[in-house]
Amino acid sequence: MPQPLIRPARPDDEAALARLDRESWSPLHEVRSEPPAPDEPFFHPTCGPDAHLVAEHDGRVVGYVRLGHPTGMPTNAHVLQIRGLAVAEEARGKGTGRVLVRAAVEEARRRGARRITLRVLGPNTVARTLYASEGFVVEGVLPGEFHVGGRYVDDVLMGRSLL
């Protein structure tokens, strides 16, 4: 599979993104106890299309990354956070996640951020390895922060400078 096209999300991507969220749900990387319901909207007033970059291959949505501010405080406005990343099964292991992470970093720079952060569950070693290879470092660990899939798992805080 060649590298996907990365583009801003559009309102008409909602159904494809919601389907991707349901199909890619796993307790390995989700703090929700179950996948989103089929009728659950993907976009919300505080997290609309402008918060997402989409990976597209042959006209099909195969991934997304969601960016947002970690807090609503003006003193923290210089930081953006990766608040979600999903890749379709057929696009995994082919560089789609890496391209989305790089696009998120570039988008954060374009928006004037000085730092980019994320949170990832401790057992999600595939994602943690990807983030580390893209310059993110562990900045903190909240031990046993979530009870997911019948076990307590760490919440790993990672970040990197954009300067």
Side-chain angles (χ1 to χ4, degrees):
M1 173 184 282
Q3 292 296 306
L5 166 73
I6 304 297
R7 61 168 176 78
R10 302 181 299 251
D12 65 347
D13 290 322
E14 184 161 28
L17 291 168
R19 184 173 47 256
L20 175 61
D21 245 14
R22 284 190 307 277
E23 292 172 356
S24 64
W25 180 90
S26 165
L28 179 65
H29 61 261
E30 268 290 344
V31 296
R32 294 175 67 147
S33 59
E34 57 189 40
D39 60 346
E40 186 175 325
F42 182 82
F43 295 131
H44 301 277
T46 59
C47 188
D50 60 334
H52 298 84
L53 296 173
V54 169
E56 186 179 280
H57 179 68
D58 287 338
R60 177 169 150 59
V61 171
V62 295
Y64 76 84
V65 63
R66 178 182 298 130
L67 282 172
H69 290 283
T71 74
M73 295 182 282
T75 55
N76 188 232
H78 62 285
V79 179
L80 278 175
Q81 185 174 60
I82 293 177
R83 301 180 65 92
L85 179 104
V87 175
E89 183 69 37
E90 72 267 17
R92 291 185 189 153
K94 298 179 170 90
T96 302
R98 182 173 307 281
V99 172
L100 282 165
V101 170
R102 289 178 179 173
V105 167
E106 288 312 307
E107 180 64 13
R109 278 193 180 109
R110 188 188 72 73
R111 294 184 188 184
R114 298 174 56 87
R115 285 183 35 78
I116 187 168
T117 63
L118 59 88
R119 298 169 70 168
V120 60
L121 295 180
N124 193 349
T125 55
V126 171
R128 291 176 63 191
T129 300
L130 168 64
Y131 297 137
S133 73
E134 291 298 320
F136 287 83
V137 296
V138 173
E139 296 179 339
V141 176
L142 301 174
E145 186 73 2
F146 294 103
H147 187 258
V148 181
R151 63 186 176 146
Y152 292 95
V153 298
D154 297 348
D155 187 13
V156 180
L157 313 175
M158 299 180 80
R160 65 171 274 189
S161 172
L162 297 176
L163 301 178

